């Protein structure tokens, strides 16, 4: 996802003198973005520079790794819940603690995403919301089924 080009223009107010002006632009940039000069034009007594701003490669790698980790955590919690329910183990407190911790750890992991993306970003729709849903479903399955087994209900 790259932002539209950013354009800077510098013009001289004295066209007859044709002054030579050296301009240094220092952009204090976020390390999660890469700045590249797209084009440079000379327009009369002015210069126009168009810059492209895009996310750096390391940002993309970290974001994709975070999405993969969220899916791995969610699927492992769901498989563990399915095994507990299938084997009629009752309420397994360490598993419940792990699933509840994973549920809240995903929120912290999402908030540590590079660039602090707003809610509703690609990271949320591709991994975070789904991971939260799968862990919550697994946790609820274990609690409901465990309560029924330990409460003496036969299925």
């Amino acid at each position: 996802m790259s932002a539209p080009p950013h354009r800077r223009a510098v013009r001289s107010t004295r066209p007859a003198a044709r002054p030579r002006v050296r301009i240094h632009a220092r952009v204090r940039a976020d390390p999660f973005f890469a700045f590249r000069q797209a084009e440079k034009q000379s327009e009369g007594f002015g210069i126009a520079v168009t810059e492209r701003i895009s996310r750096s490669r390391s940002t993309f790698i970290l974001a994709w790794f975070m999405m993969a980790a969220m899916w791995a955590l969610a699927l492992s919690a769901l498989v563990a819940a399915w095994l507990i329910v299938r084997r009629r183990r009752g309420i397994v407190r360490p598993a419940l603690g792990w699933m509840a911790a994973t549920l809240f750890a995903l929120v912290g992991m999402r908030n540590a995403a590079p660039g602090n993306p707003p809610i509703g970003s690609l990271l949320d729709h591709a991994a975070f919301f789904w991971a939260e849903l799968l862990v919550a479903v697994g946790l609820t399955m274990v609690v409901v089924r465990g309560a029924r087994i330990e409460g003496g209900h036969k299925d």
Side-chain angles (χ1 to χ4, degrees):
M1 292 184 241
S2 62
H6 177 69
R7 192 171 176 91
R8 295 180 193 190
V10 179
R11 296 210 179 269
S12 171
T13 57
R14 298 174 49 201
R18 297 192 111 210
R20 288 187 165 217
V21 179
R22 176 170 256 166
I23 297 173
H24 293 281
R26 176 178 272 180
V27 179
R28 205 152 222 255
D30 189 345
F32 299 119
F33 291 95
F35 292 86
R36 290 183 186 81
Q37 181 176 328
E39 66 179 271
K40 183 177 174 183
Q41 297 174 352
S42 180
E43 301 170 356
F45 294 100
I47 296 175
V49 178
T50 304
E51 297 171 337
R52 288 251 178 234
I53 302 171
S54 60
R55 298 218 182 255
S56 65
R57 182 171 304 182
S58 60
T59 302
F60 278 118
I61 292 170
L62 181 58
W64 283 105
F65 172 76
M66 289 178 74
M67 285 192 270
M70 285 182 187
W71 274 104
L73 286 169
L75 291 175
S76 63
L78 191 63
V79 167
W82 179 73
L83 289 172
I84 291 169
V85 167
R86 194 177 118 227
R87 293 182 182 172
R88 299 176 185 259
R89 302 271 318 252
I91 294 180
V92 181
R93 284 168 181 76
L96 291 176
W98 168 62
M99 288 180 207
T102 301
L103 194 64
F104 291 102
L106 286 170
V107 175
M109 187 176 180
R110 188 254 176 257
N111 288 335
N116 198 12
I119 296 293
S121 64
L122 177 65
L123 175 73
D124 294 333
H125 290 284
F128 176 68
F129 295 147
W130 291 105
E132 287 283 320
L133 177 73
L134 292 177
V135 173
V137 164
L139 185 61
T140 304
M141 261 180 9
V142 171
V143 168
V144 169
R145 184 68 166 180
R148 292 188 65 147
I149 289 171
E150 288 193 8
H153 293 284
K154 301 259 179 181
D155 294 316

